[in-house]
Amino acid sequence: SSAPYRIMLLRGTCLRRSLVLCTMLRRRGAHARVCFGVERRGTVLDAHAWVAVGGVTEATDSRFHELPRAWSA
């Protein structure tokens, strides 16, 4: 839902939503992480962020290929 972002007058991007959701889940003890993916269409790269919890990801667009993790927290 984008309701909190309308109140704050901020755009609710997938990155912002994923960071907030991941933080909330981790505070409640879940092993959550933010995933990043890209899709290449010719010379254009589209990017997307989503949350994975215990190996299960939220519903996301399958056209994005997850980037490998550079570090682990």
Side-chain angles (χ1 to χ4, degrees), residues 26 31-34 36 68-73:
R26 284 181 166 213
H31 183 69
R33 66 182 178 92
V34 177
F36 301 96
R69 293 190 299 177
W71 69 90
S72 179

Side-chain angles (χ1 to χ4, degrees), residues 5-63:
Y5 301 106
R6 285 194 305 268
I7 293 169
M8 295 171 32
L9 302 176
L10 295 173
R11 198 171 126 213
T13 64
C14 60
L15 176 58
R16 184 172 284 141
R17 285 191 307 264
S18 295
L19 291 171
V20 170
L21 177 59
C22 187
T23 300
M24 291 172 59
L25 289 168
R26 284 181 166 213
R27 285 183 180 173
R28 285 160 180 76
H31 183 69
R33 66 182 178 92
V34 177
C35 303
F36 301 96
V38 294
E39 176 201 29
R40 184 176 186 177
R41 289 182 292 139
T43 60
V44 176
L45 279 179
D46 284 334
H48 185 50
W50 64 92
V51 175
V53 181
V56 178
T57 61
E58 67 173 317
T60 187
D61 196 328
S62 63
R63 66 189 172 140

